[in-house]
Amino acid sequence: MTSEGIERLIRSELVTLGSYVASKSAQTLAREIEVPVESIIKLDANENPYGCSPRVSQALATYPYLNIYPDSEQIELRKLLEGYTGVGVEHIMASNGSDQLIDLILHLFVGQGDEVINCIPTFDIFRFGTEMRGGTLVEVRRDENFAVNVNAVKAAITKKTKIILLATPNNPTGTIMPPPDILEIVDTGVPVLVDEAYAEFSGETVTQLVSQYNNLMVLRTFSKWAGLAGLRIGYGIFPPKITDFLFRIKLPYNVNVAALVAVRESLKDIDYLLGRVKAIVAERERLFEQLKKLKWLKPFPSRANFIFCTVLNGKAGEIQQKLQNKGILVRYFDKPLLRNAIRIGVGKPEHTDALIKALHEVGGEISG
Ligand SMILES: Cc1ncc(COP(=O)(O)O)c(C=O)c1O
């Protein structure tokens, strides 16, 4: 069969699907610009610059049961997450990164022609997961400071609406959504997914409210605050009925044993990890002040571990490329509602210093 023949057999909505663009690996850049990988400053994927708890690496080095499948019911893992969140195990399911749960939830609710309300600009996986299922995106534009317009969201609800997606803090803008605004939307009765991937940095969460509603779902992750992005461990807090449905549709061994060990050890080292979160939040504010001094960039206040900036003079793509040539990775955007912008992850103080120095050099090249 020719490759055109294969295309005819593939689901039509997937043939034209725009894929999600993931970050470049430090190894790839190091090879490209011929520098040691350790010298790369990676600020493009909102990862934790301090890494994970040292307890995790120690425990993984001697973990004896790599030959045994993980527990598909996630009994110990959910008990640990109950201890961390204060929400009962019947509300909890864990996943291979929280993006797997975004995928599963959309799988549960959205089919061909169903409407999904998405507050743009936001995390692109929301679009990707919806389009993958043939769902219809109903896009509600955020205001000029990237706040969600609650009335516009409510006005967008139709009989076909299956779910409303809200990220707080929002990626890539870092904007928080106040809990009363979230609850006003939850009060419509439509299923609402609140993605709180950065909650440990913002200090805001509606996790505790899930048990009072049958349509509120919250996603959290260990990728950011606990430095476990590479191990892939996320979880969600759901009404028990939705937890049951998610368990029915997930693949049996969706969370691996290393991730379980990592959660166990991270939660034993919580003071250390939350100390790192505090350092990142303090560094975010210092980075913000430094970025504000660059007249050609406009940074937006952030409650996450990254800062979104629009480029007032120059081209975001060029700036990203020039930084990359100096071994610094940031994310850039140039698409509708995210015109000429960069997103910078918060690193260690020395990363901020190197970035600001590089931005001054790049700024000189732009104006010169
Ligand atoms: C808003 C948001 N949700 C979810 C994720 C996915 O996180 P993970 O799959 O690593 O848990 C990210 C990652 O950047 C994110 O920004």
Side-chain angles (χ1 to χ4, degrees), residues 303-337:
R303 297 286 298 275
N305 65 343
F306 54 84
I307 295 179
F308 180 80
C309 310
T310 49
V311 178
L312 305 175
N313 182 20
K315 287 206 171 75
E318 248 171 64
I319 290 158
Q320 185 264 349
Q321 188 62 48
K322 283 179 191 289
L323 290 175
Q324 187 169 300
N325 295 344
K326 295 173 189 289
I328 301 176
L329 283 166
V330 300
R331 187 82 189 244
Y332 93 97
F333 304 91
D334 201 10
K335 54 186 183 182
L337 302 193

Side-chain angles (χ1 to χ4, degrees), residues 20 45-46 96-100 102 123 126 167 169-171 195-198 219-224 229 232-234 306 343:
Y20 176 79
N46 310 336
N96 186 260
S98 61
D99 55 9
Q100 185 182 51
I102 297 172
F123 190 39
F126 295 165
N170 185 43
N171 180 7
D195 182 340
E196 295 185 349
Y198 304 94
L219 294 186
R220 305 282 293 268
T221 180
F222 278 67
S223 291
K224 315 294 179 178
R232 314 302 301 126
I233 176 73
F306 54 84
R343 189 195 64 200

